[in-house]
Amino acid sequence: MIIYTIAMPKPHSHLFHVQIEIDRLQPGEIRLSLPAWTPGSYMIREFARHVQEFQAVDDQGNRLPWRKTRKDTWLIEAGASTRVIVTYHVYAFDLTVRTSHLDGSHGYFNGANVFMYVHGHTHEPLTLHIDLPVGWRATTGLTPLPSDPTRPQRASFQALDYDELIDCPVECGTHRLLTFAVDGIPHQIAIWGHGNEDEERLLADTRRIVEVQRAMFGGLPYRDYTFILHLTDGRGGGLEHRNSASNMVDRWTFTDNYERYLSLTSHELFHAWNVKRLRPALLGPFDYQNENYTRLLWLMEGATSYYDDLLLVRAGLISEERYLQKLADKIVQLQNQPGRRLQSLEQSSFDAWIKLYRPDENSINSSISYYLKGALVCWIFDMTIRAQTNSLRSFDDVMRYLYQRYPITGPGIPEEGAVLAALELIGGADGALRDLYERYVVGVEELDYATALAVVGLEPRWQYRRPRPDGQPPAWLGINVRKQGDRTLVASVRSDGPAYEAGVYADDELVALDGWRVNEERLHQRILERRPGDVVRLTLFRGDALVEVPVTLAVAPYDMLSLVSVAAPTDAQQYARAAWLQKM
């Protein structure tokens, strides 16, 4: 039996106190490790660096010798002791959805950050005790145990195994708790922080999101669900779990940017089906100390990113017009990444551990996001299936089929051929979907947006966000800039742009154009006055050296897209569009 106890006696210290009681039958060494990453966030994060004051004793209180065998592993020489108690502290002052944070206002923790696992015992039932400061409570997706009247500040829970323990983040504090039910299944929203939220609207819209996703899959896959919502000063993000999600939004997001909350909530909830139950075979059982590679993250995150906003339309929470604009914005975003010509979706998925979470100034030129391109490719698959089946089937059916075909109790989706087989089973095996898969998932060919849009009676209308007054194509420098105090720095240089060819570098400080001082706004104004083919002189500080670089301006790529209805949509197009954006 293994019992975990976590306490926070001095919240202002940012230290969680962790105890692990290990009852065992066999003598010998005990090996414990702290995960190096947390599921859903595919980067090695070295959580062990926050561990301090590790020690181990036997049931008589005698200290047991121990040593570290690697950066995240502790080996205890327990001898014949049948009961071992391990204690350590974890520094927690990183406020993100994937880490842990403790201060005077709350304690939030992900199990992967704080709970070591005992090698050879990860599949056993576990007990978790949380010792809380006076007046605090604990909210989590774990199964609660009866309270102990002698310890009123202790909350206790049970986990089926170590995977479930770390898959259920915990919010401790004086947070608000909103509740609702769908199909008799309880849901709760634990809110830390305050802003301009309207609790009644938030509650009603969150329930609506649950209802529309339930309708797509035909039922809810969990016994209960917990939304942990952090209202912060500008930070954001989300992380999915099997029966809970941690979401973080700016505290003032609920007026001008309310759909940010809706999209994030929809995205993380959709993962309750896609990723947490329907998953690649290589994402389970988890190896918590090393990278877990798969080439299917484009489906896990891409399909989720496709449906997060689409289901908001079906739920009536955003308009069709707004959804189409968001889809258009995604297309523009991908088309403005030269890396789309180099990195495929499969490669992007496999390299998530070293690429997506570690962007640099060259990322735009060398890589793409499996979230972004994955969503667009899933949309194209959807349009293709609808066209080939006269709208009788769709990508919805692909997701439902995969969900039934590869249940949580099974080994998961095989890497080779399974997704393509599902596409062809639903949409037809005439070769069209196989061709798209090879070109868009395995390969790096440009996506054919026009053909996909035509299925639902739409057409692309490309424009310039800042057109020239004379109506001619504007000139283009091909750099992105950022401010650093009073300085204007080159953030990135696009490999398909003229500045790249001329030898402008990232981190160059932009001083002047043709001898006149410029900042970000003046730069855009001066370039807008020029024509493609004009030569401009950029004066730059490169380190401490003042350099001048001549650049021949190019024709700017389009940076704005509208998706508009064709003049005379056919009955088939109108039917397909209505079926795609179905309103419940």
Side-chain angles (χ1 to χ4, degrees):
M1 182 177 68
I2 299 177
I3 300 174
Y4 290 83
T5 303
I6 188 167
M8 46 212 89
K10 297 180 180 179
H12 293 300
S13 70
H14 316 304
L15 291 174
F16 282 114
H17 294 202
V18 181
Q19 175 179 287
I20 309 174
E21 301 174 53
I22 308 167
D23 287 337
R24 63 206 192 110
L25 299 176
Q26 295 182 344
E29 298 174 330
I30 298 176
R31 189 156 52 107
L32 299 98
S33 293
L34 190 69
W37 66 288
T38 191
S41 183
Y42 306 102
M43 189 176 90
I44 298 296
R45 298 187 184 274
E46 316 291 12
F47 296 129
R49 72 188 190 275
H50 295 306
V51 174
Q52 60 188 62
E53 300 170 76
F54 181 95
Q55 66 175 351
V57 299
D58 62 18
D59 53 2
Q60 302 301 313
N62 301 310
R63 291 201 173 192
L64 299 172
W66 60 270
R67 68 183 187 278
K68 291 190 73 172
T69 59
R70 49 176 283 163
K71 61 189 176 184
D72 52 13
T73 301
W74 289 256
L75 186 68
I76 302 169
E77 298 176 14
S81 301
T82 57
R83 187 166 181 266
V84 173
I85 301 173
V86 175
T87 59
Y88 56 90
H89 297 167
V90 178
Y91 182 74
F93 200 48
D94 188 4
L95 184 56
T96 74
V97 295
R98 60 186 171 268
T99 52
S100 298
H101 187 261
L102 175 63
D103 65 12
S105 67
H106 81 145
Y108 168 77
F109 58 86
N110 280 285
N113 308 164
V114 296
F115 296 133
M116 297 181 185
Y117 61 90
V118 182
H119 286 255
H121 297 273
T122 55
H123 300 299
E124 300 174 7
L126 306 170
T127 297
L128 171 63
H129 298 306
I130 304 175
D131 289 336
L132 298 157
V134 175
W136 284 23
R137 60 180 170 185
T139 299
T140 179
L142 289 169
T143 301
L145 293 172
S147 58
D148 182 349
T150 67
R151 309 192 73 152
Q153 289 307 122
R154 167 169 285 187
S156 299
F157 302 89
Q158 186 175 45
L160 295 176
D161 52 24
Y162 182 79
D163 285 344
E164 185 178 47
L165 176 69
I166 70 163
D167 189 50
C168 293
V170 181
E171 177 67 25
C172 305
T174 59
H175 50 275
R176 290 167 286 163
L177 204 59
L178 310 181
T179 61
F180 65 92
V182 174
D183 293 345
I185 295 177
H187 296 70
Q188 55 184 352
I189 308 173
I191 307 175
W192 173 70
H194 292 270
N196 59 355
E197 71 280 1
D198 178 334
E199 289 187 5
E200 290 187 7
R201 183 186 184 192
L202 186 152
L203 191 63
D205 291 350
T206 303
R207 180 193 290 113
R208 190 76 188 102
I209 291 171
V210 174
E211 289 171 345
V212 75
Q213 297 198 9
R214 177 272 321 266
M216 175 174 166
F217 284 99
L220 296 174
Y222 43 75
R223 68 179 185 273
D224 54 59
Y225 198 91
T226 298
F227 296 93
I228 295 175
L229 178 60
H230 290 166
L231 306 184
T232 67
D233 297 313
R235 306 183 210 191
L239 190 64
E240 71 275 3
H241 302 280
R242 194 173 296 178
N243 73 323
S244 61
S246 291
N247 294 330
M248 185 177 293
V249 298
D250 184 276
R251 67 181 72 252
W252 310 117
T253 202
F254 296 93
T255 51
D256 294 342
N257 198 24
Y258 181 55
E259 67 181 36
R260 166 62 181 156
Y261 166 79
L262 296 175
S263 295
L264 181 63
T265 301
S266 180
H267 184 100
E268 302 308 333
L269 178 65
F270 196 86
H271 277 315
W273 290 270
N274 191 32
V275 167
K276 299 312 297 184
R277 287 170 175 82
L278 171 63
R279 59 167 178 78
L282 296 179
L283 284 187
F286 292 120
D287 178 348
Y288 291 109
Q289 292 180 283
N290 301 293
E291 294 88 345
N292 292 225
Y293 296 104
T294 174
R295 296 194 300 277
L296 293 177
L297 288 181
W298 69 268
L299 179 68
M300 302 297 100
E301 292 294 354
T304 304
S305 296
Y306 172 48
Y307 280 104
D308 53 19
D309 285 334
L310 178 59
L311 291 176
L312 295 182
V313 181
R314 295 179 181 176
L317 295 176
I318 65 173
S319 68
E320 176 182 332
E321 292 72 23
R322 179 56 185 148
Y323 172 70
L324 293 179
Q325 188 55 61
K326 295 185 77 169
L327 178 60
D329 291 344
K330 288 181 178 179
I331 294 173
V332 172
Q333 186 180 351
L334 180 63
Q335 292 306 115
N336 280 291
Q337 294 180 356
R340 74 186 187 280
R341 300 190 182 98
L342 299 182
Q343 189 182 48
S344 73
L345 274 178
E346 287 193 335
Q347 292 167 343
S348 177
S349 299
F350 191 87
D351 281 344
W353 299 90
I354 57 174
K355 292 279 191 179
L356 185 71
Y357 294 94
R358 294 177 175 174
D360 58 30
E361 66 280 356
N362 193 48
S363 294
I364 193 173
N365 298 320
S366 63
S367 62
I368 50 96
S369 164
Y370 50 79
Y371 286 80
L372 175 63
K373 186 176 179 181
L376 292 173
V377 168
C378 288
W379 164 65
I380 290 175
F381 283 146
D382 195 6
M383 296 299 100
T384 304
I385 294 170
R386 291 178 188 276
Q388 297 200 154
T389 64
N390 295 317
S391 293
L392 295 177
R393 291 189 172 184
S394 69
F395 199 73
D396 298 17
D397 296 296
V398 174
M399 295 303 299
R400 285 189 286 261
Y401 169 78
L402 288 171
Y403 180 70
Q404 296 297 326
R405 175 69 178 80
Y406 300 102
I408 189 173
T409 54
I413 307 174
E415 290 287 298
E416 301 294 339
V419 177
L420 177 57
L423 287 166
E424 293 191 318
L425 177 68
I426 300 300
D430 62 352
L433 288 163
R434 179 177 297 270
D435 178 61
L436 290 179
Y437 195 95
E438 290 297 324
R439 290 161 52 200
Y440 296 164
V441 177
V442 181
V444 294
E445 286 192 29
E446 291 280 37
L447 305 186
D448 183 355
Y449 306 113
T451 298
L453 289 167
V455 174
V456 289
L458 296 169
E459 61 184 10
R461 188 164 295 170
W462 289 94
Q463 300 166 287
Y464 290 110
R465 197 171 298 276
R466 301 178 69 167
R468 282 179 53 85
D470 60 7
Q472 297 299 308
W476 182 53
L477 192 56
I479 64 173
N480 297 309
V481 299
R482 59 184 171 88
K483 293 190 67 174
Q484 188 177 84
D486 294 333
R487 304 165 70 206
T488 300
L489 303 181
V490 177
S492 60
V493 185
R494 281 184 49 166
S495 60
D496 57 355
Y500 186 91
E501 293 297 327
V504 177
Y505 299 169
D507 290 332
D508 283 349
E509 179 186 355
L510 184 60
V511 178
L513 186 147
D514 288 339
W516 295 93
R517 185 190 302 274
V518 291
N519 54 23
E520 182 177 5
E521 181 59 28
R522 288 178 178 174
L523 174 66
H524 291 311
Q525 292 173 347
R526 298 292 80 79
I527 295 299
L528 189 62
E529 297 166 355
R530 306 306 171 90
R531 297 177 182 274
D534 289 350
V535 178
V536 297
R537 293 177 293 111
L538 294 182
T539 304
L540 310 161
F541 267 117
R542 184 166 294 162
D544 291 332
L546 189 65
V547 299
E548 186 173 277
V549 179
V551 181
T552 302
L553 300 177
V555 174
Y558 289 112
D559 58 0
M560 187 175 176
L561 174 64
S562 298
L563 307 181
V564 298
S565 295
V566 298
T570 65
D571 290 345
Q573 288 174 321
Q574 294 182 66
Y575 182 82
R577 187 158 161 186
W580 174 43
L581 302 176
Q582 56 192 277
K583 306 289 182 63
M584 294 179 56

